Amino acid sequence: GKNVSERSIDPATRAMLLEADRAGIETAWDRFDKQQPQCGFGILGVCCRNCNMGPCRIDPFGEGADRGVCGATADIIVARNLLRMIAAGAAAHSDHARDAVLAFKKMAEGEAEGYQIKDGAKMNALAAEYGISPEGRSPEEVALELANVLLSEFGKQEGPITFTRRAPAKRQSVWEKAGIDPRGVDREIVECMHRTHIGVDNDPVHLLLHGLRTSISDGWGGSMIATDVQDVLFGTPTPVMSESNLGVLKSDEVNIIVHGHEPILSEMIVAAAEDPEMVALAIEMGAKGISVSGICCTGNEVLMRHGIPTAGNFLQQELAVITGAVEAMVVDVQCIMPALGNLAGCYHTKFISTSPKADFPGTLRMEYHEEKALETAREIVRAAVENYPNRDPGRVNIPREKSGCMVGFSAEAILGALGGTPQPLVDAIVSGSIKGVGAVVGCNNPKVQHDFGHVNLVRELIRNDVLVVTTGCNAIACAKAGLLLPEAAKEAGPGLRPICEALGVPPVLHMGSCVDISRILVLAAALANHLGVDISDLPAAGAAPEWMSEKAVSIGAYVIASGVYTVLGTVPPVLGSPEVTSVLTKGVEGVVGASFAVEPDPFKAAKLMIAKIEEKREGLGLSA
Ligand code: NFS
């Protein structure tokens, strides 16, 4: 067999990898091994396929071609490729946001059964940002007008994007000075594609600046719109207890997994699974009930708002099916492996795809539209329940491991817990009890041991009195490791520990899905505004220890564009260009006050982040 302990630090994952091996089933780790050695040109980013004179590639050893057919150098090719990654990532977040706003609009028009305004106060606060008054109007009328102005952010041709005005004034002028204040979400993404077409933008720095502009339209635009509209529709998260890891799957209940990214769907599945009629049907089928759990960020969405358990992070999606206990894997968009189709075919699992945008081999398509949301959700749940008798008890192998977690820390919940003002947090930072804030986020990647970077980096930070905020697959890794429990305070340093214990909160705060990194931006802006400084002055640092997606590239770009130093744990495909590498790790600091570092070792990454936090403390005149 394979050395499963090298592949993951998570015992549930190791157990299922052994099971996969026994059953002769291939996972992402095996396919990763079969890809070795991965293409050296691709790793360095020096392969260009943007026109049909190519593909061209630059010889990194300086012996062969040093230019593509059009004359593009390694620097140009690498910068163009990176810009396309940012465009794809920003598009994914923002297209998700667009659908959330369209659902919100249909709700306002009374055409989306099952959806409602769950957080009216937040809706009115958003409306006020747009100068819309709720005075003398029904909530639906306000919602409709708000939906229309939010929709217009995507197609705006001239800025600003309204939510970028949430950034401190100093940050906004940094963007204006650099010419990277975004004008409209779709416009910046389209311009990425235009600039990278053969024969358009061929200056690496010029290309990278537009990358930053596009990423800002994601973080302070698309992603932020997604978060806020979803809060209005489904409620702004508040602290709630739950459980995490494959052990949340039930041996005697119908297991439905929601996987992907959009709460628009998963919220309705959760509602339909609670329907007494469906539960009765499950009992009729011989099950004790219906259990919904999540994977990836749609899992985070329902975890944050309802305490629905999370079965695992990105690299565990196949393993969930291999438990043999999943009646339906229901997916929408993003981070869903096409491998699931074949795999589900080896078990009784129904692989149900729902988005009009995302099809996969081997799925049962049950397309999902807001007009009939609840109806479709009920059909999906019914399909899962009716599949229960097909489960082969002899093939069921659910790992025992699961961990409790406290989640639901929206910016509102954090500020609320502090008494409505960032002052107590500021006091703790000034006194040095809390050294600073570390934002640790991002994916899994079989290039590195699963969860090793996530868990060790976070542990090091809290041990050194750095409060950690987390989202995405990092948050799930932390949940599985017990770091999201209030008891994890005992792993925190002598300054952070008593604060967590007094508040009854964990030292690692789960702020949501990846689009919810916008919550971290809002929190950072609140802290900076309270202190009258820029975000780049705050004792804060970011990290993505196991990132892999293009969305993560856009996130990394907007985090540094927002002024926060960011450490990447896997190497981005830029090393083929000395110029791009140097701009990203040094030069960009002079433009936006932050830069990237690459450090695969989480212990060293923690040191880099802490050193940066200490440098910022010094800058603010605070003791080290
Ligand atoms: Ni973020 Fe969520 Fe996970 Fe990475 Fe994918 S689920 S949006 S991209 S893999 S953290």
Side-chain angles (χ1 to χ4, degrees):
K2 290 145 193 142
N3 188 349
V4 298
S5 31
E6 270 173 21
R7 291 181 166 184
S8 176
I9 62 164
D10 171 24
T13 295
R14 288 177 174 179
M16 292 322 295
L17 283 173
L18 283 176
E19 171 63 22
D21 224 10
R22 256 196 304 275
I25 282 169
E26 197 179 67
T27 65
W29 283 274
D30 303 309
R31 295 189 297 271
F32 177 77
D33 286 348
K34 283 192 186 163
Q35 284 294 332
Q36 301 312 312
Q38 285 175 312
C39 170
F41 298 100
I43 288 172
L44 296 172
V46 292
C47 169
C48 181
R49 294 184 295 108
N50 292 11
C51 87
N52 203 29
M53 296 190 291
C56 297
R57 52 194 199 179
I58 306 303
D59 179 5
F61 304 108
E63 284 159 14
D66 63 352
R67 269 148 216 274
V69 177
C70 71
T73 58
D75 294 324
I76 294 170
I77 292 173
V78 166
R80 283 199 304 222
N81 288 344
L82 190 66
L83 196 64
R84 286 202 167 190
M85 292 184 88
I86 293 173
H93 287 143
S94 299
D95 207 36
H96 159 180
R98 185 194 332 269
D99 280 345
V101 179
L102 286 171
F104 179 54
K105 183 172 176 176
K106 287 215 173 101
M107 182 279 307
E109 293 169 334
E111 282 170 22
E113 171 215 4
Y115 297 95
Q116 51 184 295
I117 300 163
K118 279 263 178 67
D119 190 340
K122 182 149 187 173
M123 180 178 80
N124 288 343
L126 298 181
E129 280 182 80
Y130 282 95
I132 301 168
S133 161
E135 212 59 41
R137 306 165 71 202
S138 74
E140 287 70 24
E141 283 167 343
V142 176
L144 184 57
E145 192 176 345
L146 179 59
N148 283 327
V149 290
L150 287 170
L151 275 181
S152 75
E153 299 287 10
F154 297 96
K156 249 182 199 170
Q157 303 304 322
E158 293 162 330
I161 295 171
T162 306
F163 289 167
T164 59
R165 270 44 206 165
R166 293 173 170 182
K170 284 182 183 163
R171 184 63 9 196
Q172 292 177 40
S173 44
V174 165
W175 293 339
E176 269 148 37
K177 231 178 93 199
I180 58 172
D181 194 19
R183 297 152 301 182
V185 178
D186 294 350
R187 176 169 181 184
E188 307 310 350
I189 295 165
V190 167
E191 194 170 311
C192 286
M193 299 313 288
H194 180 189
R195 286 194 189 210
T196 54
H197 184 275
I198 158 84
V200 185
D201 197 1
N202 289 282
D203 178 77
V205 172
H206 199 232
L207 284 159
L208 293 175
L209 284 171
H210 183 65
L212 294 180
R213 172 156 57 184
T214 306
S215 74
I216 298 166
S217 82
D218 173 355
W220 298 85
S223 283
M224 204 169 269
I225 292 170
T227 295
D228 281 356
V229 166
Q230 289 168 179
D231 281 355
V232 172
L233 278 175
F234 306 121
T236 303
T238 55
V240 58
M241 297 300 298
S242 188
E243 289 179 327
S244 176
N245 216 343
L246 292 166
V248 305
L249 295 172
K250 299 276 168 44
S251 61
D252 52 4
E253 294 185 25
V254 175
N255 288 307
I256 301 176
I257 292 188
V258 288
H259 173 25
H261 284 78
E262 300 183 340
I264 303 294
L265 165 75
S266 50
E267 281 278 336
M268 291 300 126
I269 301 280
V270 168
E274 283 166 1
D275 183 334
E277 200 185 306
M278 287 296 157
V279 178
L281 183 65
I283 289 165
E284 206 176 295
M285 295 288 155
K288 291 230 168 81
I290 305 174
S291 171
V292 180
S293 54
I295 289 204
C296 286
C297 281
T298 206
N300 279 323
E301 298 279 1
V302 288
L303 172 70
M304 289 283 285
R305 294 196 179 88
H306 303 282
I308 297 291
T310 166
N313 48 12
F314 174 73
L315 275 177
Q316 290 179 285
Q317 56 187 288
E318 294 174 283
L319 309 181
V321 175
I322 296 171
T323 64
V326 176
E327 274 61 50
M329 170 78 84
V330 186
V331 304
D332 48 50
V333 291
Q334 302 170 18
C335 304
I336 301 148
M337 293 187 190
L340 286 176
N342 241 331
L343 178 64
C346 302
Y347 292 85
H348 77 300
T349 306
K350 284 197 153 82
F351 177 34
I352 302 177
S353 66
T354 61
S355 166
K357 292 173 196 167
D359 207 347
F360 304 82
T363 53
L364 177 61
R365 280 199 61 71
M366 299 182 79
E367 222 178 85
Y368 188 83
H369 299 276
E370 294 84 9
E371 297 85 350
K372 295 195 298 175
L374 211 47
E375 199 183 311
T376 314
R378 285 169 57 92
E379 280 166 22
I380 291 170
V381 171
R382 180 184 293 275
V385 169
E386 287 174 346
N387 194 26
Y388 185 76
N390 296 326
R391 189 193 284 188
D392 176 354
R395 290 184 79 194
V396 171
N397 189 341
I398 304 173
R400 260 193 314 273
E401 287 82 8
K402 61 178 174 183
S403 170
C405 53
M406 180 189 266
V407 303
F409 292 95
S410 57
E412 288 88 339
I414 292 173
L415 292 174
L418 296 171
T421 147
Q423 191 59 49
L425 183 54
V426 168
D427 291 342
I429 291 173
V430 168
S431 77
S433 313
I434 293 178
K435 268 202 196 120
V437 180
V440 190
V441 304
C443 327
N444 294 139
N445 187 330
K447 282 183 176 172
V448 295
Q449 190 184 27
H450 172 237
D451 288 352
F452 177 83
H454 285 316
V455 169
N456 286 300
L457 175 55
V458 169
R459 281 217 158 95
E460 277 303 292
L461 291 175
I462 62 172
R463 214 168 58 77
N464 285 283
D465 291 326
V466 173
L467 175 69
V468 172
V469 291
T470 175
T471 62
C473 289
N474 176 272
I476 300 172
C478 290
K480 291 186 291 171
L483 292 167
L484 302 189
L485 283 167
E487 298 89 285
K490 64 180 188 301
E491 294 197 45
L496 177 58
R497 176 178 180 166
I499 294 174
C500 294
E501 285 171 346
L503 292 170
V505 299
V508 184
L509 303 178
H510 188 343
M511 294 189 75
S513 63
C514 285
V515 291
D516 292 340
I517 293 171
S518 64
R519 300 189 196 279
I520 301 179
L521 296 179
V522 166
L523 187 67
L527 276 177
N529 285 334
H530 191 79
L531 289 165
V533 300
D534 193 355
I535 294 174
S536 56
D537 300 319
L538 295 175
E546 304 179 20
W547 75 274
M548 60 86 197
S549 74
E550 291 167 315
K551 290 179 288 175
V553 180
S554 178
I555 291 167
Y558 75 63
V559 171
I560 67 155
S562 301
V564 179
Y565 170 75
T566 298
V567 184
L568 304 175
T570 65
V571 186
V574 301
L575 297 187
S577 163
E579 184 178 358
V580 170
T581 304
S582 148
V583 168
L584 294 177
T585 56
K586 291 184 206 82
V588 69
E589 166 109 38
V591 183
V592 293
S595 62
F596 285 110
V598 176
E599 179 49 71
D601 178 334
F603 301 96
K604 290 185 187 156
K607 284 213 174 77
L608 290 174
M609 292 172 75
I610 292 163
K612 182 59 72 176
I613 284 169
E614 254 145 25
E615 178 192 317
K616 299 291 178 185
R617 291 186 64 87
E618 220 166 279
L620 289 172
L622 304 175
S623 65

